[in-house]
Amino acid sequence: MKKTLFSLAPLALVLMGCSEPQTTTQNPDSGQQNNYELVEGAEQRLDIYTPYQLKTDLSHLSNEQKKMVGLLIDASKIMDNLFWQQAFPGDKQKLLNQVEEKAREFTVINYGPWDRLNNNQPFLTGFEDKPAGANFYPADMTKTEFENAELANKDSLYTLLRRNDEGELKTVAYSEAYKESLTKAADLLRQAADLAENKDFSEYLRLRADAFLSNEYQPSDMAWMDMTGNDIDVVIGPIENYEDHLFGYKTAFESYVLIKDKAWSQRLEKYAEYLPQLQEGLPVEPAYKAEKPGANAQLNAYDVVYYAGHSNAGSKTIAINLPNDEEVQLEKGTRRLQLKNAMQAKFDKILVPIAAQLIVPEQREDITFNAFFANTMFHEVAHGLGIKNTLNDKGTVRSALKEHASALEEGKADILGLYMVTQLFEQGVLAEGELKDYYTTFMASIFRSVRFGASSAHGKANMIRFNYFADAGAFDRNASGQYAINMDKMREAMNSLSEKILTLQGDGDYNGVAELVATLGVVSPQLKADLDKLTDAGIPVDVTFDQGKEVLGL
């Protein structure tokens, strides 16, 4: 693998100004204090995010519950700082102090000098390509060196790779590497647990606090699955592995503080009972759908009041399907959380304007929020379908497919989500609107997500699906660059792509997935020209949040 050491002359990054151990490359000229400047062409990227105030009605919460929300936000801020350390091997504050004012907010949104929605290209002078392994591994470590190292827990979700005094690789548990910060976060979670009115939520918070210090997260994941009656929730800790583009092993710190929308949650309850039959009906050979995930799937809607760390970096998540632990999934299923206020923001500010540019006029009326909500929800539900372990003793799908696992999994969730919508609509379970609403909204959403770029698992998954649909004739493009959905061909493509992805996962076919990504995970010149129209029209790529205790009046 090409080494990706930072080229920092005349100014180098220095170690993080914190107590946690970090490994970075330093430059002897690091004493110089020159400012970083935007690289050529980067200035036009500074306005790709549109602001949105993140709040909701808290009037139904007690005073103790409001205090608890404040404590959870404080703990989330610690997760935010820890993610900076994982994503950027340098001193956050020094970087921000030396960035031109007009680029500072963009640097904060990206958690470093690399543009997350432009394939992680550096937008500041003095930086080379972002290391594929972020700051989870030494920047000079090769894949071969890692694979040859005989180290326990080297592929653990919760360890860093560092070098000892002899320059050899060693592992450092998150609980040790970030001990001071995680101890503070654990204390805040325990304070919140003392205020929690829901017993199960209090138990989860205490177990999560223990996990910060023990590096054992499964007990708290199990406890999180047992919660059903809590009005407040928090998803916090090292969770997703998207930041690790080298192997896809290491999890990044993040947090969401959530308030349940009871009315919308009640609307979703009925869908969970159909999951076993949907698993059985997947368009693939029986062996690839033989697993039976836990039946206690929960579907709920929430308003988010705080994002932190990985969840706040670049494109913002609008729905969650967790836990990722395969053992927990098989025993207890997963929880699917729909982030309704963030979803509404993206629909209003991004999806509708995109449709006005790229969907033929006669199909624009088929773009609806209900369809967008349902497609997003069933994307998360679909993560629980299919198969988690390979059929040929290659271990879990995630470990077998390595750095390609996340993109393929997101592609599976997208296409199986549409499959589920189709099945439930035709059974009369999903009764709102018409089926064409879901297909047309799905197509418009591809344009939205492709703009996230190839460094995003979601962006890459959408590139693959767009090109697969194009080859299958699932849509037509007119001379004005507007797209019309062909429902029959899109349905055929949906089924065949579902079968292909599920088979690749079940076989743990690393080379097959790599070929799929290489051939279809690209943006053609024609698609790029169409996407450029969105930029020219001033349509934002994503949202950024004005959030916190002051915004909430706490």
Side-chain angles (χ1 to χ4, degrees), residues 387-419:
I387 199 162
K388 301 298 178 185
N389 299 289
T390 60
L391 303 179
N392 45 16
D393 298 323
K394 293 184 179 180
T396 65
V397 171
R398 179 165 51 180
S399 62
L401 300 185
K402 300 181 181 178
E403 75 273 18
H404 297 308
S406 293
L408 194 68
E409 176 63 23
E410 292 305 325
K412 179 202 82 173
D414 278 331
I415 202 68
L416 290 190
L418 187 62
Y419 161 81

Side-chain angles (χ1 to χ4, degrees), residues 216-483:
E216 297 293 335
Y217 285 86
Q218 191 175 86
S220 60
D221 281 346
M222 292 284 192
W224 189 71
M225 283 301 303
D226 291 335
M227 298 189 311
T228 57
N230 48 306
D231 293 337
I232 299 167
D233 206 342
V234 64
V235 175
I236 189 168
I239 297 170
E240 302 289 5
N241 59 352
Y242 302 133
E243 190 72 7
D244 179 3
H245 290 266
L246 190 62
F247 288 106
Y249 292 154
K250 306 305 176 183
T251 52
F253 285 97
E254 64 182 321
S255 184
Y256 308 80
V257 181
L258 307 161
I259 310 296
K260 182 179 286 187
D261 186 319
K262 293 184 177 179
W264 273 72
S265 293
Q266 288 177 356
R267 292 173 58 182
L268 308 183
E269 289 177 355
K270 62 182 179 181
Y271 299 125
E273 64 186 89
Y274 293 92
L275 299 185
Q277 111 183 24
L278 290 167
Q279 170 82 352
E280 292 174 5
L282 290 175
V284 70
E285 291 296 318
Y288 295 90
K289 53 185 177 182
E291 292 181 358
K292 298 186 182 301
N296 299 323
Q298 299 181 42
L299 302 176
N300 287 292
Y302 295 81
D303 279 344
V304 196
V305 294
Y306 204 81
Y307 282 75
H310 179 266
S311 68
N312 195 43
S315 60
K316 307 304 186 290
T317 299
I318 54 177
I320 305 169
N321 176 62
L322 290 172
N324 287 326
D325 187 313
E326 291 89 353
E327 292 181 7
V328 178
Q329 289 183 9
L330 291 173
E331 181 175 337
K332 290 182 175 287
T334 61
R335 290 179 60 196
R336 286 86 174 199
L337 292 73
Q338 315 308 307
L339 312 184
K340 183 169 164 281
N341 56 345
M343 207 180 296
Q344 188 74 58
K346 293 200 184 192
F347 181 81
D348 293 340
K349 289 176 172 269
I350 301 171
L351 191 63
V352 171
I354 284 176
Q357 293 288 327
L358 296 184
I359 300 298
V360 293
E362 58 270 26
Q363 290 187 343
R364 289 174 195 165
E365 64 182 19
D366 301 331
I367 309 291
T368 70
F369 179 73
N370 281 334
F372 183 54
F373 186 94
N375 286 343
T376 305
M377 174 179 67
F378 286 110
H379 165 104
E380 298 306 329
V381 173
H383 277 301
L385 299 184
I387 199 162
K388 301 298 178 185
N389 299 289
T390 60
L391 303 179
N392 45 16
D393 298 323
K394 293 184 179 180
T396 65
V397 171
R398 179 165 51 180
S399 62
L401 300 185
K402 300 181 181 178
E403 75 273 18
H404 297 308
S406 293
L408 194 68
E409 176 63 23
E410 292 305 325
K412 179 202 82 173
D414 278 331
I415 202 68
L416 290 190
L418 187 62
Y419 161 81
M420 296 172 71
V421 163
T422 304
Q423 297 299 310
L424 292 174
F425 187 88
E426 293 185 341
Q427 293 176 34
V429 178
L430 191 61
E432 295 177 329
E434 300 182 51
L435 188 57
K436 64 179 182 178
D437 297 347
Y438 300 91
Y439 277 60
T440 309
T441 303
F442 186 89
M443 184 67 202
S445 295
I446 293 179
F447 295 120
R448 181 183 68 85
S449 297
V450 162
R451 298 175 84 200
F452 296 160
S455 65
S456 159
H458 297 79
K460 191 176 294 183
N462 278 273
M463 292 174 194
I464 292 171
R465 187 166 54 262
F466 177 88
N467 289 314
Y468 191 93
F469 279 7
D471 292 343
F475 54 78
D476 298 311
R477 180 184 181 276
N478 65 22
S480 300
Q482 296 169 335
Y483 293 76

Side-chain angles (χ1 to χ4, degrees), residues 123-144:
F123 59 86
L124 296 176
T125 57
F127 294 92
E128 292 187 355
D129 292 343
K130 182 176 180 178
N135 198 29
F136 298 114
Y137 312 88
D140 62 347
M141 186 198 78
T142 65
K143 278 191 172 183
T144 300

